[in-house]
Amino acid sequence: MEPTPTLKPAKAEIIKQAKAYVEQLFDEKLPRQLVYHSFKHTNTVAKEAAALGQAAQLAAPDQEALVLAAWFHDTGYIDKYDGHEYRSIELAEQWLTEKNYPAERIALVKDTIRATHRDEKRDTELAKLLVDADMSNLGREDCLADAELLRTEWEATQGKVYTNAQWAEFQLDFLLQHKYLSEAGKARYKDQLKENIKEQRKSLKKQEKKEKKKAEEAEGYAEGKRGVETMFRSTYSQHQRLSQMADQKANMMISLNTVLLSVIITYLGAKTSTIGPAFTKNPVLAIPMGLLVATALGSVVTAILSAQPDVTAFKWLRRSPQIATNRRVNILFFGNFTKLSLDHFQDGMHELMRDRDLLYNNMITDIYYLGEVLSRKYRLLRVSYTIFMVGLILTALAFGIVLLYKA
């Protein structure tokens, strides 16, 4: 009896074309928030599917169908997240039909992709092999790193936020419950799956210790978490009221001095007014009028500077993506995060949501810079009111002196 020849992974032209098509499709249409279900993941699943098919000694046509299903199994993510498998089936059917692929083989590829949905049956050998390839990350050394990518993706797309301890517990439960379906999958991944479970248990214990330590430290805050939040809320509210008061005072000075300047310029320049000829006949009036104009001008300029928007930002932010850990930067402020790329902003926000100390640090930083802006506003307002007051006094004195001189 002749030995069974070793089957090699399918290298048909149709598979090469499928790879190129999926790569271009993901590059053009896959949402950037999908950092786990990316082309890298699909490429890995296709390679694992080919290896499992070879280990299971599939016939060449079935090997080809399995690898094609692997390439298309996540393409539906370009349009939808939940239920993407059914959209993947549609895209695979459309593309394979355009390539004149046999109808019965298209049906086989579609059934194999359908099996990757959690509610579908996995009765056939191809279905079991593809599902095992899709979940192969659980039985590989990069399991924990891939899990962090999935965590980030869920937070960005599904709004599911976990603490480090919660995520470690979730991952451990998932690893313990998972069972590979095919014999080839069990043989290829079972040993590393056991190692990953051990590592995840260690990670969970480590995170639980950290959470316990943070809980103990939190008791040191005034009246616990509620007291801290009340303090921040009242401080922000006070800053907003002070800022509104400063803007109202600045607007009052701007309006008053603008009207004053308009009236002076209009009457001095009008030939028909009584003040215009009087001013021409008595040049000495230029002194009090000049003081009044200078007073109004100086006061309105400083009031405008006070009301002028002031955005505190750092020019070096683009070159420093690790902003979430920088105590000088408040990532919650638009003047800072608009200087970043979307990826860096998302990374910073995820880090901020995971770490309470970083969150409080950002809020404290925000209050500090709000105080700086308020200090500048009120300093300029004080200058504006002082100029106006002193200018009016000097103008009145100058007019009095002129009247006495004329008398």
Side-chain angles (χ1 to χ4, degrees), residues 244-263:
Q244 289 174 354
M245 288 173 57
D247 289 339
Q248 289 173 357
K249 291 177 182 295
N251 288 333
M252 183 177 68
M253 292 303 294
I254 291 170
S255 300
L256 176 60
N257 286 286
T258 301
V259 171
L260 188 58
L261 282 171
S262 299
V263 170

Side-chain angles (χ1 to χ4, degrees), residues 261-277 289:
L261 282 171
S262 299
V263 170
I264 293 172
I265 293 172
T266 300
Y267 275 92
L268 289 180
K271 294 181 179 180
T272 58
S273 69
T274 57
I275 298 179
M289 294 303 293

Side-chain angles (χ1 to χ4, degrees), residues 100 125 192 231 295 355 403:
N100 296 318
E125 181 70 7
Q192 187 60 46
M231 179 196 69
T295 295
D355 194 324
L403 290 175

Side-chain angles (χ1 to χ4, degrees), residues 105-167:
R105 306 306 295 176
I106 294 177
L108 180 60
V109 171
K110 289 168 59 180
D111 289 339
T112 304
I113 295 174
R114 184 177 290 107
T116 60
H117 191 280
R118 58 184 176 275
D119 297 330
E120 295 289 349
K121 296 179 180 179
R122 289 88 179 259
D123 297 332
T124 67
E125 181 70 7
L126 291 186
K128 294 177 180 179
L129 290 170
L130 181 57
V131 172
D132 284 352
D134 194 20
M135 303 304 295
S136 62
N137 64 299
L138 302 182
R140 297 199 310 269
E141 293 182 357
D142 56 355
C143 171
L144 300 184
D146 280 354
E148 285 302 312
L149 290 177
L150 181 61
R151 176 183 179 180
T152 302
E153 180 176 302
W154 281 0
E155 289 177 351
T157 61
Q158 308 299 301
K160 297 179 180 179
V161 180
Y162 299 85
T163 65
N164 290 336
Q166 289 172 340
W167 182 252

Side-chain angles (χ1 to χ4, degrees), residues 353-365:
M353 288 186 290
R354 296 189 192 105
D355 194 324
R356 183 200 60 199
D357 292 337
L358 279 178
L359 176 60
Y360 284 162
N361 190 68
N362 267 257
M363 295 173 72
I364 292 168
T365 303

Side-chain angles (χ1 to χ4, degrees), residues 280-292:
T280 304
K281 297 176 181 178
N282 303 285
V284 73
L285 288 174
I287 297 175
M289 294 303 293
L291 283 172
L292 188 57

Side-chain angles (χ1 to χ4, degrees), residues 253 295 298-299 302 378-394:
M253 292 303 294
T295 295
S299 182
T302 51
Y378 278 93
R379 185 172 63 251
L380 289 170
L381 270 178
R382 184 178 180 83
V383 172
S384 178
Y385 276 83
T386 300
I387 291 174
F388 189 72
M389 178 182 67
V390 173
L392 285 182
I393 293 172
L394 292 177

